[in-house]
Amino acid sequence: MFANLQRGTVRHGLIPIENSLSGTLHSVLELFTQQEPRLWVVGEYTCNESHYIMARPGTELKDITEIQSHPAILEQCQDFLDATLPESYRAVLASNTASAAEQVARSDEFG
């Protein structure tokens, strides 16, 4: 998105800079401040987002041993995951939520 703004292929972009669950997204703000020429904030958009656990059919929460997702999503859901899943569950970082979902769908593993 930043590259498209700098090239002029788009006039406006929408970037997340804060999340009510995990706070300020410092990595995005850092990218924002590194732009030359400088970019300006011209508005604000607030939206609600929901996260869901996807699993193979028949899987129960008590059976889940591994969660794959983007690091920001894992951070946002940390309290829920810790309170809901077995104590021994493992968080696996993925580059994005779509690739994590695809990996789970292709897996033969249960839980």
Side-chain angles (χ1 to χ4, degrees):
M1 196 276 310
F2 287 119
N4 287 334
L5 284 167
Q6 295 295 3
R7 282 193 297 270
T9 54
V10 296
R11 292 186 59 198
H12 298 93
L14 184 64
I15 60 168
I17 60 170
E18 187 176 61
N19 181 290
S20 61
L21 295 174
S22 58
T24 302
L25 303 177
H26 297 285
S27 60
V28 175
L29 285 180
E30 186 175 326
L31 285 172
F32 188 81
T33 61
Q34 294 172 354
Q35 301 303 303
E36 288 295 335
R38 291 277 188 216
L39 301 174
W40 302 96
V41 174
V42 296
E44 178 179 11
Y45 175 76
T46 303
C47 67
N48 294 321
E49 61 182 341
S50 299
H51 301 296
Y52 300 89
I53 294 178
M54 296 173 58
R56 299 190 56 78
T59 303
E60 295 183 27
L61 289 173
K62 66 179 179 58
D63 299 325
I64 295 176
T65 59
E66 181 177 289
I67 291 287
Q68 297 182 32
S69 194
H70 187 274
I73 305 304
L74 290 170
E75 181 181 353
Q76 291 168 21
C77 298
Q78 185 75 51
D79 291 343
F80 172 81
L81 296 172
D82 289 347
T84 307
L85 299 181
E87 193 173 304
S88 61
Y89 88 88
R90 183 171 76 104
V92 177
L93 304 181
S95 59
N96 59 65
T97 56
S99 66
E102 186 177 329
Q103 180 71 21
V104 170
R106 284 196 317 246
S107 173
D108 291 332
E109 294 182 32
F110 186 78

